[in-house]
Amino acid sequence: MITCNQLSRTFCNKPAIDRVTMSIDSNKMVGIIGGSGAGKTTLLKMIAGYLQPTSGSVSLNGKNVFDNLDVLSTIKYAGDDEMIIPSMKIADIIRHYAAFYPRWNGEAVYDWLQRSDLKDNIKYKELSKGMQRQLQIRAALGSRMPVLLLDEPLSGLDYYSSKEMCSLLLEEYMNEPRTMVISTHNMKEMEHILEEIIFMYKGRLILHKPLSVLQHYAIRLTGPKELLLSHIEEKSIYECEGFGNNCTIAIRNYLTSRERQQLEQMGISIGKVDIQDLYIYVTRLAGQEEGYNDADF
Amino acid sequence: MNIDLNSVIPIYIQIADGIADDILNGILEEEAPAYSQYQIAKYYKINPATAAKGIQMLVAEGILLKKRGASMYVAPGAKVRIRSKRKEHFIHNLLVDVIREGKKLGFSIAEIKDMMDQIAEVDILHDNLQSTE
């Protein structure tokens, strides 16, 4: 279990991580969503022991992470500043990983090299950004570390590769369950393979819930403006868009399924609010009140 | 079983309903193996915990049971239990809505009953009635 307790980190007096308190159970796939500068990378690097907290603590199974070799030897962080020497050949990179990680299993890498028709005497710098990312993530999976921290694994990948990467992460998780904490600012592809979601905003953790609960947070209703507004509590409205007589509102979902059915019978159509939009609504709320607490939901 | 990842209905509920449908349709038989969370997760590319949540709902309702460690089986009497739950829903929700909506539109109960008789003779509704027997 990864535990953060009032974890904070400042750079030049600016808080990058602000009093984050949370715990992540072992062997769960958890997603951290946040915009640029939200603190995702800083948080992951602190969990990985690369950065020392300014205050507060981060521990793994009760033991403090920073400078603790026992703990560090069970965590693999993979961001896009992976320490790979650009002039190294792929074969040498793999040899280094295999030597460094006692339980190394390079299947995910070899499989990809073969399918992509890449020779292992190609140098790292000769690979495209996307291919470098593929290699980094697949090597991280190959390390077989019980705790994997993947920092934006889909960045630089095209649509097809992103889908393939999500499938791969899920497949690896099911074949060999391990803790996977994955940060992204594009939840669209990733959403369904995750078990829990964390929202970060300006260094603060503003939400941490199971994915199945998150769907209760918001729904989208479309229909005649007056009808909608007369049946919905105004304070639950996140956003209202419309033209003419029709409008679409996104609301905090306090309705029972019976109430939803009844609205549908009145001619109101109901749709899902995707996680990216939910993030925007929740951050708006969080931005408004300092004492914001996701237990308010 | 059909899952729509973009539906407003939570995925774990769609999974529970989907498994129940398959039991009613005879695709899954009583006292025979049901889908495991891993089979569902692999096929729909979702986290197994989500599938597990849907399965757990059915276990709590006595529709599925766990045997020999982690294997999921369809409980004996599952069909009857599912049907009775859906009958409840039909009477208390669907029928109530039809009557309320009809009254709102100005129909009398007698008129609603007549219309139901007429519609019942039409092929479409007839097929729907047959497939739920």
Side-chain angles (χ1 to χ4, degrees):
Chain A
M1 182 188 269
I2 299 169
T3 310
C4 298
N5 198 355
Q6 294 290 302
L7 186 64
S8 300
R9 172 75 202 203
T10 30
F11 292 110
C12 306
N13 291 323
K14 293 211 168 68
I17 294 291
D18 186 6
R19 292 162 291 164
V20 169
T21 297
M22 56 101 159
S23 56
I24 293 175
D25 288 332
S26 301
N27 297 342
K28 285 202 172 168
M29 282 182 90
V30 177
I32 302 182
I33 180 172
S36 314
K40 309 186 292 295
T41 298
T42 310
L43 179 61
L44 290 181
K45 284 187 169 175
M46 283 204 281
I47 297 172
Y50 286 15
L51 290 173
Q52 193 174 13
T54 309
S55 62
S57 66
V58 49
S59 53
L60 180 63
N61 298 328
K63 297 187 211 152
N64 236 306
V65 173
F66 191 74
D67 245 2
N68 184 333
L69 284 178
D70 281 341
V71 173
L72 292 175
S73 64
T74 62
I75 303 176
K76 170 73 185 141
Y77 166 84
D80 67 9
D81 54 0
E82 191 74 347
M83 316 276 192
I84 296 177
I85 298 167
S87 57
M88 273 178 90
K89 295 184 187 156
I90 294 179
D92 293 329
I93 295 170
I94 293 173
R95 241 204 311 277
H96 273 68
Y97 271 97
F100 193 78
Y101 294 103
R103 296 201 310 128
W104 170 259
N105 177 339
E107 230 175 276
V109 180
Y110 306 138
D111 177 57
W112 169 71
L113 285 176
Q114 198 180 41
R115 281 185 298 114
S116 315
D117 214 15
L118 288 169
K119 296 278 183 301
D120 63 4
N121 61 358
I122 293 177
K123 292 184 182 164
Y124 186 70
K125 61 185 176 186
E126 289 164 12
L127 296 172
S128 70
K129 196 96 207 195
M131 288 176 187
Q132 289 178 346
R133 205 84 190 89
Q134 288 268 9
L135 183 59
Q136 291 158 13
I137 305 296
R138 287 164 184 274
L141 289 166
S143 74
R144 291 278 171 276
M145 290 281 101
V147 179
L148 211 52
L149 309 172
L150 302 177
D151 203 348
E152 306 214 22
L154 304 185
S155 81
L157 299 185
D158 60 47
Y159 177 70
Y160 181 76
S161 304
S162 290
K163 285 182 87 109
E164 198 186 43
M165 181 57 72
C166 288
S167 283
L168 177 65
L169 293 175
L170 185 61
E171 202 183 297
E172 288 265 333
Y173 172 74
M174 289 204 281
N175 290 339
E176 191 178 311
R178 59 203 113 150
T179 308
M180 288 194 190
V181 184
I182 304 169
S183 77
T184 180
H185 57 72
N186 175 3
M187 219 10 120
K188 201 86 216 196
E189 306 297 342
M190 194 72 77
E191 189 183 332
H192 298 290
I193 68 171
L194 301 167
E195 187 174 343
E196 291 176 8
I197 308 277
I198 290 173
F199 283 178
M200 291 215 48
Y201 180 64
K202 293 190 178 169
R204 289 188 293 142
L205 184 145
I206 60 174
L207 182 146
H208 181 186
K209 296 282 181 198
L211 180 62
S212 52
V213 165
L214 224 52
Q215 289 178 299
H216 293 293
Y217 272 55
I219 51 172
R220 209 176 288 282
L221 306 167
T222 302
K225 198 168 188 166
E226 271 174 42
L227 184 63
L228 270 178
L229 297 177
S230 65
H231 281 90
I232 296 295
E233 288 172 18
E234 202 183 314
K235 62 177 178 152
S236 70
I237 298 179
Y238 289 130
E239 185 179 68
C240 181
E241 286 181 326
F243 64 94
N245 196 26
N246 244 23
C247 78
T248 297
I249 59 174
I251 63 161
R252 182 174 56 79
N253 185 13
Y254 62 89
L255 303 168
T256 63
S257 63
R258 183 93 183 91
E259 284 167 335
R260 284 205 310 268
Q261 255 177 331
Q262 286 168 333
L263 286 175
E264 278 178 317
Q265 258 136 34
M266 288 184 229
I268 291 172
S269 57
I270 300 184
K272 188 184 169 195
V273 169
D274 77 50
I275 293 216
Q276 297 284 153
D277 286 335
L278 182 62
Y279 176 76
I280 292 172
Y281 303 145
V282 173
T283 51
R284 251 186 232 154
L285 280 180
Q288 278 158 21
E289 313 128 32
E290 187 45 59
Y292 169 83
N293 186 337
D294 77 351
D296 290 343
F297 287 91
Chain B
M1 188 163 76
N2 209 19
I3 308 290
D4 177 6
L5 296 179
N6 294 315
S7 167
V8 71
I9 303 168
I11 305 214
Y12 73 93
I13 291 182
Q14 290 185 56
I15 288 173
D17 286 343
I19 295 175
D21 282 341
D22 284 357
I23 293 172
L24 278 186
N25 292 333
I27 295 171
L28 292 173
E29 285 170 16
E30 290 187 9
E31 305 199 66
Y35 312 127
S36 75
Q37 69 184 77
Y38 294 103
Q39 279 177 304
I40 298 173
K42 195 166 178 180
Y43 186 75
Y44 293 102
K45 300 216 194 321
I46 58 176
N47 191 291
T50 308
K53 192 163 177 173
I55 289 173
Q56 196 40 49
M57 257 181 79
L58 294 177
V59 170
E61 290 170 5
I63 290 164
L64 292 180
L65 37 88
K66 212 180 228 194
K67 270 205 230 176
R68 286 182 241 149
S71 310
M72 280 292 145
Y73 280 74
V74 180
K79 264 186 169 166
V80 163
R81 243 166 261 136
I82 296 168
R83 242 185 238 127
S84 124
K85 196 175 106 184
R86 292 191 178 188
K87 280 178 183 170
E88 285 287 310
H89 170 69
F90 178 74
I91 297 167
H92 296 293
N93 297 334
L94 299 179
L95 274 187
V96 166
D97 286 344
V98 164
I99 293 170
R100 282 207 189 125
E101 184 68 13
K103 278 175 153 179
K104 229 179 13 176
L105 292 168
F107 291 120
S108 69
I109 299 291
E111 283 172 315
I112 296 174
K113 282 185 186 171
D114 273 340
M115 284 187 283
M116 285 182 114
D117 283 331
Q118 288 172 40
I119 292 169
E121 290 176 29
V122 172
D123 272 348
I124 294 170
L125 191 56
H126 209 44
D127 285 344
N128 285 347
L129 287 171
Q130 276 183 339
S131 71
T132 58
E133 271 164 31

